[in-house]
Amino acid sequence: MLDTLVRDLQKLCDERPFHTGWYLKDLRAGETADRHGHVVVPSASTRKIAIMITALKAVHEGRLTLEQPVTIQAKYQHNDSGCFQHLRPGFTIQLFDALVMMIIVSDNTCTGTVADMVGLDQVNALCQSIGMRGTVHRHGMPPHGLDRNHPLEAVNVTTPADVGLLLDLILQGTQDAAVAARLGCTPELCQLGIDILSWQKLRNRLPSWLPSGTKVAHKTGTGLRNQNDAGIIYHGAQPLFILTVYTEHLPVELPDGMPGHSTAVQLIGRLCRTCYDALRVEAAVG
């Protein structure tokens, strides 16, 4: 039963003066819980999980190949995320490399490139087909010039439960061809998706309070007023739980003087460690 754990998570969130929504699935017992799990919020770069899976679907269908050359163009380099924004345009990498960079350092040059290659209509169609009802991909590249009070309709959006569902299906798809087929993929392609997510280099949120070396297959997201992270947390080689955390309307500064973004990052780490401790003990007892 998740009752005690949920109370602990809620207390941590209630102590913070901003919106925090999360979705949790205990992968051993199959139980789920959430806080504002179906409330629509800015997805920020967690949207890239769906873009990656849509690209892998296109690979399975033969419309793309992981080895095909992708030329990095200057029109995609006007952004503030990742590494390729700083390099001279015109160089070529493989699609595989673009997917990896899009996830592990959240490279927006690669994201804009891949999003245009697969088409946002295809990304949205995949999300809708699996039940991600609160998710909308509006932009391949994040829009510029927005202020902190922008409406939700101005950005890409999702819900904690939607992204939890997507991660759950990817994980199940590594072992079940029928589930992989729901994503338009194979078990091998689903495993590749998990592998890429586990190579994540931005580890200051979900993994930050976990023991060194803990495997976490995840994708972060940062916006003008939010910090997000969504992932599968392992105990040894076994997936232990799925946790997606989305903060929103972060203040620039809290009453104690701490920046809102830093406080949210620490909260995400504490929430993840609280889940890890409780569910690891349950798994050991079971």
Side-chain angles (χ1 to χ4, degrees):
M1 295 291 290
L2 294 178
D3 293 350
T4 301
L5 173 56
V6 168
R7 285 196 295 270
D8 291 342
L9 298 177
Q10 299 286 45
K11 183 176 185 296
L12 287 170
C13 296
D14 289 341
E15 293 170 349
R16 301 295 183 267
F18 48 78
H19 172 93
T20 304
W22 50 260
Y23 168 89
L24 168 68
K25 182 172 183 179
D26 176 353
L27 291 169
R28 178 175 168 272
E31 293 183 281
T32 64
D34 72 90
R35 173 190 175 98
H36 306 312
H38 298 281
V39 173
V40 175
V41 290
S43 58
S45 289
T46 64
R47 68 192 175 99
K48 297 171 186 179
I49 305 172
I51 295 172
M52 176 185 68
I53 291 299
T54 306
L56 295 178
K57 177 177 183 287
V59 168
H60 179 52
E61 293 170 346
R63 295 185 287 112
L64 297 175
T65 69
L66 291 172
E67 297 77 24
Q68 73 182 73
V70 176
T71 299
I72 300 303
Q73 302 177 49
K75 67 178 181 178
Y76 295 114
Q77 292 182 290
H78 183 46
N79 67 79
D80 58 2
S81 184
C83 303
F84 285 6
Q85 59 177 307
H86 302 295
L87 305 185
R88 294 180 179 180
F91 64 95
T92 298
I93 59 176
Q94 294 184 354
L95 176 60
F96 175 91
D97 302 321
L99 295 177
V100 170
M101 295 298 286
M102 176 178 74
I103 296 296
I104 72 170
V105 293
S106 207
D107 194 285
N108 271 339
T109 301
C110 291
T111 305
T113 301
V114 175
D116 278 357
M117 290 175 70
V118 300
L120 291 182
D121 55 341
Q122 294 295 316
V123 181
N124 283 314
L126 176 63
C127 291
Q128 291 299 308
S129 73
I130 62 173
M132 297 175 70
R133 303 302 182 206
T135 298
V136 182
H137 293 257
R138 297 186 172 98
H139 309 282
M141 294 287 289
H144 287 276
L146 296 178
D147 62 32
R148 292 175 57 85
N149 297 316
H150 65 76
L152 283 175
E153 293 76 16
V155 295
N156 303 300
V157 295
T158 194
T159 70
D162 276 5
V163 181
L165 169 64
L166 177 58
L167 288 169
D168 197 9
L169 291 176
I170 299 169
L171 181 62
Q172 291 183 47
T174 64
Q175 303 296 322
D176 188 330
V179 176
R182 289 185 59 190
L183 298 169
C185 292
T186 63
E188 293 76 17
L189 288 171
C190 286
Q191 185 60 57
L192 175 60
I194 295 292
D195 289 344
I196 294 173
L197 290 167
S198 74
W199 300 338
Q200 176 63 249
K201 302 304 180 188
L202 307 177
R203 295 177 58 86
N204 67 334
R205 277 159 258 189
L206 286 178
S208 62
W209 287 50
L210 299 179
S212 179
T214 300
K215 180 178 178 178
V216 183
H218 67 118
K219 182 70 198 78
T220 57
T222 304
L224 289 169
R225 63 191 192 203
N226 54 69
Q227 291 279 353
N228 312 327
D229 204 353
I232 304 163
I233 293 81
Y234 289 69
H235 183 231
Q238 296 300 313
L240 187 62
F241 63 95
I242 292 170
L243 181 64
T244 69
V245 186
Y246 287 77
T247 61
E248 168 70 315
H249 297 300
L250 297 175
V252 174
E253 187 175 273
L254 272 65
D256 63 3
M258 284 295 294
H261 277 269
S262 298
T263 302
V265 164
Q266 293 178 21
L267 174 61
I268 293 170
R270 289 190 66 187
L271 292 171
C272 188
R273 181 61 192 240
T274 302
C275 293
Y276 181 83
D277 286 343
L279 297 177
R280 178 182 55 171
V281 168
E282 286 187 13
V285 171

